[in-house]
Amino acid sequence: KSLSTKMSSAATDTIEAPTTTMTPAAKLDALRSKMKELDLDVYLVPSDDPHLSEYVPAAYMRRKFLTGFGGSAGTAVVFRDG
């Protein structure tokens, strides 16, 4: 198959949403597990978007998704060993 055919078929694939909701603690545990697998010591999770907008769109609220903290400013610093 050509690259464009592969890309168009991949775009139509569906992704199943998880059936359970993870708590922030479970998300951090999963992240730390992946960090150990990749031999990473620290993972930074910023609160801004690529445009440094004053009001961050919901799609870029990574810190809130991961930690549950929805404050207007801050960066989460996740250490592999807690």
Side-chain angles (χ1 to χ4, degrees), residues 31-73:
L31 175 59
R32 287 189 176 108
S33 176
K34 192 65 169 180
M35 289 170 67
K36 288 177 184 174
E37 180 183 319
L38 297 173
D39 196 29
L40 297 174
D41 294 322
V42 176
Y43 191 81
L44 299 176
V45 186
S47 60
D48 55 6
D49 68 355
H51 309 286
L52 301 175
S53 304
E54 182 177 358
Y55 300 102
V56 179
Y60 291 103
M61 293 187 176
R62 300 173 294 269
R63 187 196 62 215
K64 182 176 181 182
F65 170 79
L66 183 63
T67 68
F69 176 69
S72 62

Side-chain angles (χ1 to χ4, degrees), residues 1-10:
K1 291 183 176 179
S2 70
L3 180 58
S4 61
T5 304
K6 289 179 183 178
M7 290 175 65
S8 64
S9 65

